[in-house]
Structures are given as C-alpha cells and as structure tokens.
Amino acid sequence: MRQVLAAGLMALAWLLPAPVLAQVNCPDENTICGTIDSFSVKPLPLAAPIFVAENPGAADLAQQLTDLVVADLGGSGLFRHLDPAGYIGQITNFDAPVRFTDWSPISDESLALLTGSVATTSDGRVVVKFRLWDVELQRELGAGQQFAGPVGTWRRMAHKVSDQVYSRLTGEAGYFDSRIVFVSETGPKSDRKKRIAVMDQDGARVTYLTDDSTLVLAPRWSPDDRNVIYTSYASGQPEVRVLDVQTLETRAFGNIGQVAFAPRFSPDGQRVVLSLNEGANTDIYVIDIASGQRQRLTSSPAIETAPSFSPDGSQIVFESDRSGSQQLYVMPATGGEGTRISFGNGKYGTPVWSPRGDLIAFTKINAGRFHIGVMRTDGSNERLLTASFLDEAPSWAPNGRVLTFFRETAGEGGAPSLWTVDITGRNLKRLPTPSFASDPGWSGLLP
C-alpha cells in the first residue's frame, strides 16, 4: 500500500537520534555505530517541472532556479527527482488547477509535486512563487508562497524555496539558505598558505575575507552571522581576532595578553568562551564582550580547550586530558568541575553542541583512524558517522541534522577538503571548493 505523503516523511526515523540502532562493525565494544544499512531511508519521489516563466525575460532564470532547487533537495539524500522525460503532464500556467491524473501514474510511490513561476520586472527584480502538492491526496501542502528581490539574489530565493519544501515534507527546518566559513589553503604541504573564505552551503559564491599573509585557524560565526571570530598568528603566537564580514575590518579581541585560541561566541552574542595559556597551564575562560571582564572556568593542571556552549547558554562542553587522555566533559557555563561524558576507547576532541540541543558532535581518534561522531549530551548513544585517515572539526547545519567537517588525505601530497554527512552517517559527500579547505563553520539560516 502506498503511504500517505503528508505523514510519511513527517516521521522519518533518521531525523531522530533513536536509541535502537543496529549493531554493526564498531571500532570498540563501547560504541553503537549507525550506518546507512541500519537506517533504511528511501528517498521520496519528487516531480519538479521547470517553473513557469511569466515573461520572456524570465525563461533562463526559471530554468536555473528550478535546477538549483532540485539540486538542493536531491543533495539532502531525502528526495529523488523524477526524470522530466517521464512526465505525462506539463505545467504551463501556475494558477491553473493541477491535473493530478497526469502525475499519479509516473510513480508507484507517494509523490510530491512542486510547481512554481518566475517573473522579472522592469526595475531589475525577480518574483518567485511556488506551491507544493501531495499527488496521492490531491491537495496542496501548506499555502503557496512568494519571494521577491533583486535579480542578483535569485540563488537565495531558490534556497528559500528548497527550505520551505524540505520543511513541509520532513517537519524539520531547512538548511539550504545558509553559508559556511572556512580556511582556504593553497601551496605545498610544507608551505601551506591559509586565508579565511566564505561560501554558500553548496559551495557557490566563494568570497575571501582575509589574505594569506598570516596563519589563521578555526573561524566561527557570531550568532547574528555578521562577524567571524578566529585564531590568528599575526603576532607570532595564537591570538583571537574578530572580523566584520561586511567591511572586512579585523580587530584583536579584548586585551587578553596571553596565548589564546579556540574561541566561540555564546548563543546571545554577549560573551566569548576560549582557551588561554598561562605559563604551562591551559584553561577555559569566558569573556564578557561589553566590559572585557573575564572569568576562569576550569583550574585543573590539564590541557582544557575546544569549549562550546549549549544552545541555551547554560552549559559548556569541552575537551580535557585530565583523565590521562583527551575526553569530553560538560560543565555549567559559570564553571565547575565538569562531568565526563565520553567513555569509549580512543581520544575525543573538538566537541560542538547541536543547535537543537539534543546532540554533541566530536572528533574521535581510535586505532589509528579518525572519526566524526555524535552522542547525546549525557554521553549515551554514541554513533560514529565517518572513518578515514583524518576527519576533524565538525560543525552543525542550522537545523541540527547535517554536519560539515574537513577530511585530509595521507602522504606528502595530502590535503584537506570539506565534506558533509547527516547524523546517521548517510549521504556523505564532498563540498566543492576552488582550493584545499579546512576548519568549516556553518552559519545559521540567513534572514
């Protein structure tokens, strides 16, 4: 029996960190690993005829916009675009009633139908409309919607359409209208030049924010996505700097004085948490941006770094070797002893809290292999999503269901590249970049 579309994807099992994962070949007995085989998700068929061009000047734009929406949705791994050559019907009038009898025969499964129109205006603007239909139930899913703006923003409008379709069919927020900041790398491994760059989440529209005269590491967005905080070696030692993405102006953060690194903004944007090295000790501090006042949060003789706030700002996850090896700990945002949450074999680092608050992503090193993984915030239900020579630095998509990270290949010619994977380990794919790339940081959804 064909499932009802409206209910089918709303209950996708892979979107929830379910505790009943299949046991597969795990690196150690303490870990439950999820793989594509343990999450059988069949992509939903989607028909997306070319959006109707409302005037002759909109024809090329309608094709480009439709192609981008199809690429977004297909790239999520949840949707399968049906070949237009098999379409029986055509959409030539956006406002005309849909002839569902023309669409139901092209799929033996529940089918989503996306229709749209594109119009350009004499003052250089574009208007995009769309509707989403459940073919089996012969009804519209949600109300039709419209986006408008300068022609040069058509890509963002396409991503917004994709986000709406994704949301209506899965019940989850989308992530397509967002950006990724990263470190662009060029040159041989022995003399790698690095600079901060930003691009759309699909790899388009790369812009460079700094030059390559100084080593830079780990750029991270402010909550309003207007600034990027990162580690710079301009002075010869690691220091924290803030970059305005619009003006490209940079400034040193605070008057710290010591070696500082691994900075992140608090969810409210009023504080920064980072690591400071004083003498032989590395601890975690939080600094109030307005006053410059700093508070020491850890005080053990261990190396403690890579702090990340929970979405509500009440807790911080970090890595520490206080137990003798790198492990993950959670403490109140006001400081304290912290509770260890990682107990599998190997070392854990670079933790980052999901924007949904339900999971913590991390890097794990075990038996000579690197992994990107996720676990619940109490350390339970650990799942390893990837495995390679070097996978590192996970960062969450704004919907908390996809991760980006960088992977480096082995050998003298080894180089890093950016990848994405969903939280089940499915849909692992490489992001296109014009050069080597590392240290990705995913923005929130753009306004």
Side-chain angles (χ1 to χ4, degrees):
M1 179 181 294
R2 296 169 67 187
Q3 294 180 342
V4 178
L5 175 64
L9 278 181
M10 289 287 284
L12 273 176
W14 78 271
L15 291 171
L16 298 176
V20 287
L21 303 179
Q23 296 279 355
V24 294
N25 297 323
C26 297
D28 63 76
E29 67 276 12
N30 298 315
T31 302
I32 298 175
C33 303
T35 71
I36 186 170
D37 294 326
S38 59
F39 292 85
S40 181
V41 177
K42 193 172 184 179
L44 175 76
L46 172 70
I50 298 172
F51 283 16
V52 175
E54 299 289 358
N55 53 289
D60 288 345
L61 199 55
Q63 178 73 68
Q64 292 173 318
L65 196 142
T66 307
D67 289 346
L68 183 52
V69 171
V70 167
D72 279 345
L73 296 172
S76 74
L78 294 180
F79 305 96
R80 176 171 57 88
H81 181 229
L82 300 183
D83 185 352
Y87 293 175
I88 297 173
Q90 298 295 325
I91 303 296
T92 57
N93 184 339
F94 176 71
D95 294 315
V98 172
R99 291 172 53 90
F100 292 105
T101 54
D102 288 343
W103 296 97
S104 56
I106 70 173
S107 175
D108 292 332
E109 306 166 73
S110 296
L111 175 66
L113 171 64
L114 175 64
T115 64
S117 70
V118 178
T120 54
T121 63
S122 58
D123 60 352
R125 295 175 63 80
V126 60
V127 179
V128 178
K129 301 177 183 179
F130 78 94
R131 293 190 177 106
L132 184 64
W133 308 88
D134 184 326
V135 172
E136 184 171 11
L137 295 183
Q138 299 190 10
R139 66 180 179 89
E140 188 173 356
L141 297 176
Q145 200 163 345
Q146 172 178 307
F147 300 107
V151 171
T153 64
W154 72 267
R155 288 186 58 88
R156 284 205 57 200
M157 282 183 265
H159 291 320
K160 286 182 178 294
V161 172
S162 302
D163 282 331
Q164 288 296 314
V165 173
Y166 182 98
S167 179
R168 293 181 191 187
L169 292 177
T170 68
E172 299 285 331
Y175 61 92
F176 302 110
D177 188 28
S178 61
R179 296 186 292 175
I180 294 175
V181 66
F182 63 100
V183 175
S184 175
E185 303 189 19
T186 56
K189 196 170 186 177
S190 59
D191 186 26
R192 195 65 54 79
K193 302 295 183 182
K194 300 187 178 186
R195 54 180 170 168
I196 296 177
V198 64
M199 65 183 183
D200 292 352
Q201 56 78 28
D202 58 359
R205 300 196 309 161
V206 175
T207 301
Y208 298 99
L209 306 181
T210 66
D211 61 27
D212 61 5
S213 61
T214 299
L215 178 64
V216 291
L217 299 172
R220 300 290 178 258
W221 293 99
S222 61
D224 61 8
D225 296 323
R226 295 179 180 177
N227 296 291
V228 168
I229 195 166
Y230 64 100
T231 301
S232 169
Y233 281 76
S235 66
Q237 63 181 15
E239 62 177 358
V240 174
R241 299 191 68 83
V242 176
L243 182 149
D244 185 306
V245 175
Q246 294 299 319
T247 67
L248 302 187
E249 294 180 358
T250 63
R251 59 179 175 84
F253 176 74
N255 186 21
I256 300 173
Q258 293 86 7
V259 174
F261 52 97
R264 285 186 187 270
F265 285 98
S266 63
D268 60 10
Q270 298 179 10
R271 296 165 292 164
V272 167
V273 66
L274 46 73
S275 290
L276 288 179
N277 183 281
E278 294 186 301
N281 205 45
T282 300
D283 279 301
I284 295 172
Y285 289 74
V286 65
I287 299 177
D288 182 83
I289 294 175
S291 67
Q293 182 177 358
R294 71 181 188 179
Q295 177 187 359
R296 184 174 180 176
L297 302 183
T298 62
S299 57
S300 86
I303 297 175
E304 292 167 328
T305 186
S308 172
F309 278 99
S310 62
D312 64 3
S314 67
Q315 296 177 287
I316 292 172
V317 63
F318 63 99
E319 68 176 74
S320 172
D321 63 357
R322 62 179 68 174
S323 68
S325 66
Q326 285 175 270
Q327 300 295 331
L328 305 185
Y329 295 79
V330 171
M331 67 178 172
T334 53
E337 182 63 23
T339 299
R340 180 174 167 177
I341 62 169
S342 60
F343 291 95
N345 292 341
K347 301 177 181 180
Y348 295 76
T350 65
V352 58
W353 218 301
S354 164
R356 296 174 61 98
D358 56 345
L359 297 172
I360 291 171
F362 56 86
T363 300
K364 182 173 183 174
I365 310 170
N366 186 47
R369 300 281 281 174
F370 278 71
H371 308 269
I372 300 298
V374 293
M375 63 174 65
R376 294 186 185 272
T377 59
D378 62 0
S380 63
N381 197 28
E382 178 181 322
R383 301 200 298 275
L384 302 182
L385 311 180
T386 74
S388 82
F389 166 75
L390 196 161
D391 286 351
E392 201 166 8
S395 179
W396 290 97
N399 69 350
R401 293 309 178 208
V402 182
L403 288 160
T404 183
F405 62 97
F406 78 89
R407 169 171 289 182
E408 186 155 351
T409 51
E412 184 177 343
S417 56
L418 302 188
W419 294 70
T420 60
V421 66
D422 70 38
I423 60 171
T424 67
R426 295 181 65 251
N427 204 33
L428 176 68
K429 61 179 183 178
R430 182 174 176 174
L431 286 175
T433 55
S435 62
F436 306 142
S438 63
D439 282 345
W442 214 318
S443 77
L445 280 178
L446 300 177

